[in-house]
Amino acid sequence: MPDWTKSMQQSYEYYTVEPTTLADVKRLDNVKKANFTRELDSETLGSATIDVTNSVGESYIRCYLKTIQNGVTEKFPLGMVLSQTPSSTFNGKILDVSMDCYTPLIELKEKCPPLGYTIRKGTRIMDAAYRIVRENCRVPVNKVEPLYEINSDGEKVDVSPKLQHDFVANTDDTWLSFVIDLIANARYELGLGERGDILFSPKQDLASLQPVWTYDDGNSSILYPELTMDHDLYGIPNVVEVIYSYGSDCKQAVAKNEDPNSLVSIRNRGREIVHRVTDPSLAGYVTQDQIQDYAERVLKDLSTIEYKISYTHAYCPVRVGDCVRLNYTRAGIKGVKAKVISQSISCEPGCPVSEKAVFTSKLWR
């Protein structure tokens, strides 16, 4: 692994790929430029644009960043995508083709489950998801193995996440949307490996993640100087009202943020912003103290602001979904843990990566 904070030679190589084995097939020498986008909010987790001087048709293409440092040559995959050819231009000498490209998850989006398709209650969720993806997508799929525990009698017990009710496809579902909704029941989400294989990744809170990289503004930093940070305080309540009824019993509780150190408190905002809950997650007869505690918990949960940071850095092995630490002291950001939600990788000198990450901050208690 090169030292990404030090100088090196960089170039790019492109290959067509055999999707079932992920093996490189043929090196392409007609690529002019490319840009790879990775996005957590995209259903297919990303896309790419690749400009070539003649069409390669519909095929999988992988791009490598090739580095040479201290006499050692290494290659790092930046993405594998399925190419399409939506447009081309000819200037009398050269044919320029601009290809829109998609991650392997596009194959799941192109097909729909049969009407009424159902997975029965009690089925292992991740086994069903693996089977669906494997049957409807050509690239390899990484299987989540069943979970077992030993009970007090010394018996091996299957504790894998299972469906608590029949899971039925909607009429507008694709296999991709169906699988995304299915594995959410087991707190998993889809992911893509470095070489293009499909992964099932457990959902994790930012607090439980450890930073894989630290960006700082030191002399050897790969972080570019410009950075922007957005946040929106609008809609964050400073009052929560909870109304609860059970039979003839009806109770109400109110929690207020009156903390002078809170940005969104009643005192600092000069007004009340109310969030009302009429269907609290409480069952049976509850006391006034229980309802009051519920109101305060809801206010605490809602008193969170999300910051979105946009910045650019030279390439390093950080992927979407990773946790990074930001020590950009000139911008007043110190020791912030953030989760990367998108990347745009430009295949040009320096391999700049435009990245967005988010972190949250509690504004009450």
Side-chain angles (χ1 to χ4, degrees):
M1 181 73 70
D3 185 342
W4 298 102
T5 65
K6 292 183 169 57
S7 63
M8 67 186 74
Q9 291 178 257
Q10 292 182 340
S11 59
Y12 302 94
E13 293 182 357
Y14 301 86
Y15 293 84
T16 57
V17 178
E18 206 293 308
T20 60
T21 63
L22 299 183
D24 296 336
V25 176
K26 178 184 177 182
R27 183 171 176 179
L28 301 174
D29 58 5
N30 62 337
V31 178
K32 296 175 61 179
K33 63 179 181 179
N35 183 276
F36 289 81
T37 301
R38 305 166 176 172
E39 296 177 299
L40 277 185
D41 292 339
S42 169
E43 194 175 36
T44 58
L45 300 180
S47 60
T49 56
I50 301 177
D51 292 349
V52 295
T53 55
N54 53 69
S55 177
V56 297
E58 182 174 298
S59 59
Y60 273 105
I61 297 173
R62 180 184 293 124
C63 174
Y64 290 97
L65 170 63
K66 181 180 178 180
T67 65
I68 303 176
Q69 187 181 72
N70 299 325
V72 178
T73 301
E74 297 180 79
K75 293 199 302 185
F76 302 91
L78 299 182
M80 189 188 83
V81 289
L82 181 63
S83 65
Q84 306 285 317
T85 309
S87 64
S88 61
T89 59
F90 183 66
N91 65 3
K93 294 181 179 179
I94 299 173
L95 178 67
D96 289 329
V97 180
S98 180
M99 300 188 299
D100 288 340
C101 307
Y102 308 92
T103 73
L105 293 176
I106 193 67
E107 293 192 16
L108 293 173
K109 194 172 182 177
E110 295 170 334
K111 307 172 189 175
C112 301
L115 291 176
Y117 182 83
T118 303
I119 301 177
R120 295 301 179 189
K121 173 182 176 181
T123 301
R124 284 185 188 148
I125 295 172
M126 301 313 298
D127 282 358
Y130 170 77
R131 176 179 50 80
I132 290 170
V133 176
R134 186 190 60 192
E135 291 175 354
N136 292 281
C137 200
R138 288 177 290 171
V139 302
V141 186
N142 288 264
K143 185 176 183 180
V144 176
E145 296 299 330
L147 297 175
Y148 296 95
E149 289 182 358
I150 304 300
N151 64 16
S152 57
D153 296 327
E155 298 172 330
K156 189 177 181 181
V157 179
D158 184 358
V159 294
S160 305
K162 300 178 180 65
L163 287 173
Q164 301 302 308
H165 49 76
D166 290 351
F167 194 83
V168 183
N170 295 320
T171 55
D172 59 349
D173 263 332
T174 64
W175 279 126
L176 181 56
S177 63
F178 181 80
V179 168
I180 289 172
D181 292 341
L182 173 64
I183 63 178
N185 290 280
R187 292 193 56 78
Y188 273 79
E189 56 193 357
L190 288 172
L192 293 169
E194 295 283 348
R195 294 179 56 81
D197 50 326
I198 296 176
L199 311 175
F200 296 110
S201 304
K203 291 184 178 180
Q204 293 178 287
D205 296 327
L206 178 59
S208 66
L209 297 174
Q210 294 301 315
V212 301
W213 193 272
T214 297
Y215 299 119
D216 59 48
D217 50 2
N219 291 333
S220 62
S221 175
I222 64 172
L223 188 65
Y224 291 20
E226 185 175 346
L227 179 149
T228 61
M229 183 163 62
D230 299 319
H231 65 277
D232 188 4
L233 294 174
Y234 180 79
I236 296 179
N238 48 28
V239 177
V240 166
E241 296 179 356
V242 177
I243 300 172
Y244 178 75
S245 60
Y246 180 70
S248 59
D249 183 39
C250 183
K251 291 186 176 71
Q252 181 179 9
V254 178
K256 295 186 176 185
N257 178 358
E258 298 176 305
D259 182 358
N261 297 316
S262 172
L263 290 174
V264 294
S265 67
I266 298 171
R267 174 177 172 179
N268 287 327
R269 276 189 149 172
R271 68 191 193 281
E272 292 188 353
I273 301 176
V274 181
H275 176 79
R276 178 172 291 164
V277 181
T278 58
D279 56 346
S281 299
L282 298 167
Y285 179 78
V286 295
T287 66
Q288 183 65 41
D289 287 344
Q290 288 174 311
I291 297 174
Q292 185 64 42
D293 178 69
Y294 183 89
E296 293 185 5
R297 283 190 283 117
V298 171
L299 180 57
K300 181 179 179 180
D301 290 341
L302 295 178
S303 298
T304 301
I305 186 171
E306 182 178 89
Y307 292 84
K308 182 178 291 185
I309 307 175
S310 302
Y311 50 91
T312 301
H313 60 81
Y315 181 82
C316 63
V318 171
R319 294 184 62 83
V320 165
D322 285 345
C323 174
V324 296
R325 190 181 302 279
L326 293 162
N327 280 325
Y328 201 69
T329 54
R330 283 179 286 181
I333 300 173
K334 299 180 181 179
V336 170
K337 281 174 58 177
K339 184 176 182 179
V340 177
I341 59 170
S342 71
Q343 292 177 322
S344 179
I345 304 173
S346 297
C347 299
E348 59 186 56
C351 196
V353 181
S354 298
E355 195 163 282
K356 289 184 180 180
V358 294
F359 69 94
T360 57
S361 176
K362 292 288 186 182
L363 300 177
W364 186 60
R365 295 185 181 178

